[in-house]
Amino acid sequence: MRNCRLTIEMKDGKILIQAEKAGMQELAEMIMCLEQSVGLAAFHGGKFLEDIKCNMLDIHLAAMDALTDQVIRERGGGYGS
């Protein structure tokens, strides 16, 4: 992996993301660490591990549904390659 940066900012109700020198592998590694940090914070906040895992999976699946919708909008119908 190479040195890179991922900046996530919430401003006026919108989430802004900027990546510098980050390819898919680097972004995936950073997101994995972010998800683990969120899960650990929830666990330390008193949530049950199985509930955290289910909630995190729901978040992931919702993100992938949003990705599908975005690709369909951009391609004008289908989502194949």
Side-chain angles (χ1 to χ4, degrees):
M1 279 192 300
R2 58 185 168 190
N3 292 337
C4 58
R5 177 186 307 244
L6 176 64
T7 305
I8 303 172
E9 177 182 2
M10 185 173 284
K11 185 174 183 179
D12 300 326
K14 295 183 180 180
I15 298 174
L16 309 171
I17 299 172
Q18 182 178 12
E20 297 174 21
K21 300 180 183 177
M24 186 171 174
Q25 180 181 353
E26 290 85 7
L27 289 170
E29 289 280 338
M30 288 189 280
I31 292 302
M32 183 181 71
C33 290
L34 179 59
E35 287 182 19
Q36 185 176 354
S37 296
V38 169
L40 194 56
F43 182 77
H44 288 159
K47 304 292 182 190
F48 292 108
L49 182 57
E50 287 305 314
D51 291 341
I52 295 167
K53 289 165 41 178
C54 287
N55 292 335
M56 295 300 288
L57 179 58
D58 289 343
I59 291 167
H60 172 77
L61 294 174
M64 294 302 99
D65 285 343
L67 171 64
T68 299
D69 292 343
Q70 181 178 355
V71 168
I72 289 171
R73 278 193 312 275
E74 289 179 5
R75 297 221 174 179
Y79 61 86
S81 53

